Amino acid sequence: MTDRQSAMRLYLAVGCGAAIGSLTRFLSGYFVVSLLGLNALWSTAFVNIVGSWVIMAFATLTGPDGRMMVGPVSRNFVMAGFCGGLTTFSAMSLDTFILLFEGDLPLAATYLISVVGLSLVAAWLGYLMASRLNRLPKGSQATGS
């Protein structure tokens, strides 16, 4: 495979991952707002927190000491593509500024601090879970006992 073909394969993987991640974000918003009847702030918070967990768990599982051996195309499909399309810093920023423009400084500050804080906690939990899986012997599976 030529360098150009490798690059095109990588770009296609990131683009497809981003499309799937964006569609997942949109459908999550529909589910949270339309079906659960919650405010759109919950939808943005949800995808950012889940995306933080996914990217850290996947990065840990597929890193140099990880138990999953995947190539750069697969890593970028998930991390840059899917997680990049799923999470939305820009929507979180917009939500925060709308709250500020509406004069609700306490809610804006609570929302921003909560989403960032919970996203970091989710990333930490993703790391802990994946690190634990990485330490299991290669032939074993985690059990619920």
Side-chain angles (χ1 to χ4, degrees), residues 30-48:
Y30 176 77
F31 179 76
V32 168
V33 175
S34 298
L35 299 179
L36 296 180
L38 298 173
N39 186 299
L41 295 176
W42 288 99
S43 174
T44 302
F46 174 76
V47 296
N48 284 332

Side-chain angles (χ1 to χ4, degrees), residues 26-111:
F26 174 79
L27 293 174
S28 295
Y30 176 77
F31 179 76
V32 168
V33 175
S34 298
L35 299 179
L36 296 180
L38 298 173
N39 186 299
L41 295 176
W42 288 99
S43 174
T44 302
F46 174 76
V47 296
N48 284 332
I49 293 165
V50 169
S52 295
W53 182 86
V54 169
I55 199 168
M56 182 58 88
F58 192 79
T60 304
L61 288 170
T62 62
D65 297 330
R67 76 184 296 114
M68 292 174 55
M69 302 305 295
V70 300
V73 171
S74 297
R75 272 180 67 94
N76 280 288
F77 171 83
V78 173
M79 295 171 66
F82 178 77
C83 289
L86 176 66
T87 59
T88 174
F89 185 83
S90 57
M92 183 182 66
S93 300
L94 176 64
D95 292 342
T96 303
F97 271 99
I98 289 171
L99 292 170
L100 289 173
F101 294 150
E102 291 174 349
D104 201 342
L105 178 62
L107 183 55
T110 301
Y111 173 70

Side-chain angles (χ1 to χ4, degrees), residues 115-139:
V115 173
V116 171
L118 290 171
S119 294
L120 291 171
V121 168
W124 177 67
L125 291 172
Y127 171 78
L128 291 177
M129 182 222 65
S131 294
R132 184 173 179 188
L133 286 174
N134 284 341
R135 289 191 300 270
L136 290 174
K138 288 287 185 186

